[in-house]
Amino acid sequence: MSFDALFERRTLGVRPGLVAVRGVFDALGQPGADVPAVHIVGTNGKGSIAAMTEHALRARGRRTGLFTSPHLQRVTERIRIDGAEVEDTVLEAAIGWVLQLEHDDLPRRLSFFEVLTLAAMVVFEQSGVDVIVAEAGLGGRLDTTRIVTAEAVCMARVDLDHQAYLGDTLTLIAAEKAAVFRDRVPVFSVPQHEQVENVLWAAARGTPCPLRFPDPIPAPLAGDHQHANAAVALAAAQHLERSVTAADLEGTRWPARLERRAVGAGEWVLDVAHNPASMRSLADALLALPVRDTILVTGCSADKDGEGMADALRGTGRCWSVQDEALGLVALPAAQVWQGVDATGLAASLHRHVEQGGRVVVCGSHRLVGAAMASWLALGDAPDPSDPR
């Protein structure tokens, strides 16, 4: 029943603020508060940095707890102990404990993300992890993940996204992200837009804390943009474990980040790019691949810049867009529209294209990529469309 109670909260949406979550965190006994953490904020690349950081620390014998969002198919993907997904029964028990301590004195009910973050901390405490790697949700200043005890902060690329919650300029968004800086806790950042970098330096001086921009290094994940992500992950991991080397990043796997799957004569490419900036990175990566007849299957949430996403993909292939109410997907402009992931003829057309040596790229939304993995590639379970993140 705990999972039902969790997903029932999807209708609450995003609820910024820390008073309610800190109230329950305190009632839980502040699980995981004595465990050093790497806190990862930003817009694009947070998950990749988190995956590489955790992999490097685990390679050096650290017992790791990894918290990421959103998931592709299973909510248990978000919470991992030493690289393994938390078991359903363990997560359900942790969720149940969190919900038992939600009391009437709180200013409001906990959101989906707040419940899950608190449950992750319970799991980490019970599992005896000695380091936590936590990816923030969509913000920073009011993000639930601020309850971790950060000994290093990673700043992924800051771009326009979630403007309704974070502000409609890069400067405002950067300020929300930089609000997680902590006194004397080092911050490692990828290269940023000039106005973002200015905000970061000002925040670092005011906190105060050291701010570094590590030089890019070879990355285990595909795409030129991953070189800067790898450098940040390495620097953060080394801060918590001095024995870490660049070799410890090797072998990192993170699904749907320019993930290529050969099938017959053709291939599928899965990528969770979901805003104009990440779509531009995806487009650059696609143009660097061997030439193939390419179909891009995409879609976006209603609050995204669909026109900007479509512009970023222009010139990389034919654009087919999925409009699917259950998955919260609207169509991109200037695209051939299919009504739903299970639209008649869609799967058959995609498989035929791949069998004939073509490339199918699925992007635009975690939910769409997760559905593609299940519906078109028969990989795991279909995602739960009720998950708001």
Side-chain angles (χ1 to χ4, degrees):
M1 292 299 293
S2 293
F3 280 162
D4 292 338
L6 172 69
F7 280 100
E8 178 267 334
R9 292 168 189 255
R10 66 191 182 274
T11 57
L12 298 178
V14 178
R15 311 190 81 183
L18 295 171
V19 175
V21 73
R22 286 197 185 280
V24 177
F25 186 54
D26 291 343
L28 288 166
Q30 298 188 350
D34 60 345
V35 180
V38 178
H39 194 194
I40 300 164
V41 297
T43 307
N44 292 316
K46 297 194 301 292
S48 297
I49 293 173
M52 288 186 279
T53 303
E54 184 276 336
H55 185 88
L57 290 167
R58 179 158 42 93
R60 287 290 161 171
R62 300 296 292 268
R63 182 161 174 78
T64 59
L66 175 64
F67 180 68
T68 59
S69 67
H71 61 266
L72 289 167
Q73 296 180 295
R74 300 172 303 279
V75 72
T76 50
E77 295 172 21
R78 299 176 180 230
I79 302 170
R80 298 173 186 261
I81 306 297
D82 281 344
E85 287 183 34
V86 63
E87 294 181 2
D88 286 358
T89 54
V90 173
L91 180 54
E92 281 201 294
I95 291 169
W97 190 16
V98 170
L99 295 180
Q100 283 179 2
L101 294 176
E102 186 180 40
H103 49 81
D104 293 338
D105 291 338
L106 297 176
R108 57 170 173 78
R109 297 179 69 202
L110 298 175
S111 70
F112 174 97
F113 188 67
E114 289 171 329
V115 171
L116 201 53
T117 305
L118 289 166
M121 297 299 284
V122 170
V123 171
F124 294 155
E125 175 86 8
Q126 293 173 340
S127 301
V129 304
D130 60 43
V131 63
I132 293 170
V133 179
E135 175 190 355
L138 58 81
R141 181 173 62 92
L142 299 176
D143 193 81
T144 309
T145 55
R146 287 198 70 180
I147 62 176
V148 302
T149 303
E151 290 199 2
V153 173
C154 297
M155 183 65 69
R157 182 77 171 180
V158 176
D159 288 299
L160 292 174
D161 204 358
H162 300 297
Q163 290 96 310
Y165 300 100
L166 305 178
D168 56 6
T169 68
L170 285 173
T171 299
L172 290 172
I173 293 172
E176 285 291 310
K177 309 286 187 180
V180 306
F181 291 5
R182 296 158 171 87
D183 186 22
R184 293 184 293 278
V185 172
V187 178
F188 306 101
S189 176
V190 303
Q192 302 285 356
H193 301 283
E194 182 179 0
Q195 59 267 54
V196 171
E197 186 172 329
N198 291 339
V199 170
L200 300 188
W201 279 117
R205 288 191 295 269
T207 302
C209 62
L211 172 62
R212 284 182 48 203
F213 293 83
D215 292 334
I217 62 173
L221 302 177
D224 289 346
H225 58 289
Q226 295 289 6
H227 297 169
N229 291 339
V232 165
L234 176 62
Q238 287 177 330
H239 182 72
L240 271 76
E241 177 58 60
R242 296 179 65 180
S243 65
V244 167
T245 70
D248 294 318
L249 300 176
E250 295 175 6
T252 304
R253 297 289 180 269
W254 200 234
R257 274 69 177 180
L258 201 64
E259 180 182 357
R260 300 171 67 187
R261 291 180 174 267
V263 177
E267 71 172 355
W268 293 77
V269 178
L270 306 175
D271 195 281
V272 294
H274 59 278
N275 53 49
S278 58
M279 285 293 202
R280 284 192 290 273
S281 294
L282 172 60
D284 290 342
L286 292 174
L287 292 173
L289 295 179
V291 176
R292 288 184 186 268
D293 184 11
T294 299
I295 293 175
L296 298 113
V297 185
T298 186
C300 68
S301 301
D303 63 340
K304 301 292 184 180
D305 180 4
E307 186 172 343
M309 291 166 65
D311 285 344
L313 293 174
R314 192 160 287 120
T316 57
R318 288 173 285 156
C319 190
W320 292 4
S321 191
V322 174
Q323 188 166 292
D324 193 314
E325 184 175 352
L327 293 175
L329 299 174
V330 298
L332 264 64
Q336 179 178 334
V337 178
W338 297 79
Q339 295 296 328
V341 169
D342 298 321
T344 301
L346 176 56
S349 297
L350 295 174
H351 284 293
R352 186 164 53 249
H353 181 73
V354 171
E355 289 166 1
Q356 293 172 351
R359 175 182 292 130
V360 170
V361 180
V362 186
C363 60
S365 160
H366 283 76
R367 298 185 199 178
L368 177 59
V369 173
M373 293 170 72
S375 300
W376 303 334
L377 290 170
L379 301 172
D381 302 322
D384 188 332
S386 64
D387 180 352
R389 286 176 178 264

